[in-house]
């Protein structure tokens, strides 16, 4: 990392760890979604739901650490003011948690219901996974812009 102040470097490092935890949870979700479902829809939905819990938990922990005092969004806000991208990052946390929670509630309430198809669950969950990746890219861009710190990936 660059010569940013230690508090900022700590917040950025925490965000990078959070992003890795979310990505790992998303990989587990994607593996569950890609597993065969025909003839075993109920246990498939149970596995998908369990993997989704991991995504929701890791995203919720990230949201709390990023938005609380000393978190990367709070630190960026202090430096950049309140640009639209910071507001977008905060609102994405809320939206992603809501979408994940709604899908999980459907999986739990309709586990045995054939009307909730595996294909529909896959479509919604893959949309959530894609939105999470886009969110992480937004946050990484904000961190680079605000602190000149690259928190992830190659390059």
């Amino acid at each position: 990392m660059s010569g940013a102040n230690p508090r900022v470097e700590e917040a950025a490092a925490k965000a990078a760890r959070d992003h890795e935890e979310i990505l790992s949870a998303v990989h587990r979700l994607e593996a569950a979604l890609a597993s065969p479902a025909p003839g075993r829809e109920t246990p498939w939905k149970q596995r998908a739901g369990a993997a989704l819990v991991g995504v929701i938990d890791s995203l919720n922990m990230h949201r709390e650490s990023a938005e609380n005092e000393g978190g990367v969004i709070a630190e960026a806000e202090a430096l950049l003011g309140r640009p639209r991208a910071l507001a977008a990052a905060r609102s994405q946390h809320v939206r992603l948690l809501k979408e994940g929670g709604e899908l999980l509630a459907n999986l739990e309430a309709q586990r045995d219901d054939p009307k909730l198809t595996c294909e529909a669950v896959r479509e919604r969950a893959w949309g959530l996974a894609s939105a999470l990746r886009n969110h992480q890219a937004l946050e990484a861009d904000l961190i680079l812009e605000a602190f000149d710190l690259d928190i992830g990936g190659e390059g």
Side-chain angles (χ1 to χ4, degrees):
M1 296 203 175
S2 72
N5 80 47
R7 189 176 80 202
V8 166
E9 286 186 358
E10 182 180 328
K14 173 69 170 114
R17 287 189 302 274
D18 288 352
H19 283 197
E20 286 299 317
E21 288 176 28
I22 292 168
L23 188 57
S24 180
V26 166
H27 286 168
R28 289 188 297 276
L29 175 61
E30 290 171 338
L33 296 172
S35 68
R40 52 188 126 189
E41 288 84 358
T42 298
W44 182 93
K45 290 175 190 176
Q46 188 172 3
R47 283 191 311 278
L52 183 57
V53 167
V55 171
I56 293 168
D57 287 348
S58 61
L59 177 59
N60 200 33
M61 288 188 323
H62 163 68
R63 181 196 56 80
E64 288 176 11
S65 71
E67 293 183 12
N68 287 338
E69 185 176 332
V72 71
I73 289 179
E75 293 292 331
E77 197 169 62
L79 186 61
L80 296 175
R82 226 175 142 67
R84 271 189 228 168
L86 286 168
R90 286 179 186 272
S91 68
Q92 285 175 6
H93 287 155
V94 172
R95 181 179 53 81
L96 292 167
L97 285 165
K98 180 178 185 269
E99 288 175 13
E102 288 171 354
L103 178 55
L104 182 60
N106 289 149
L107 281 167
E108 290 173 347
Q110 298 174 294
R111 186 168 290 144
D112 297 322
D113 187 346
K115 292 177 187 170
L116 181 63
T117 66
C118 296
E119 293 80 13
V121 171
R122 284 176 174 143
E123 186 175 323
R124 288 176 64 189
W126 280 327
L128 178 65
S130 178
L132 277 164
R133 290 174 188 256
N134 288 331
H135 171 73
Q136 288 184 319
L138 170 64
E139 284 190 352
D141 289 347
L142 283 169
I143 291 166
L144 183 64
E145 179 185 346
F147 312 121
D148 194 30
L149 297 173
D150 184 356
I151 66 161
E154 298 173 22

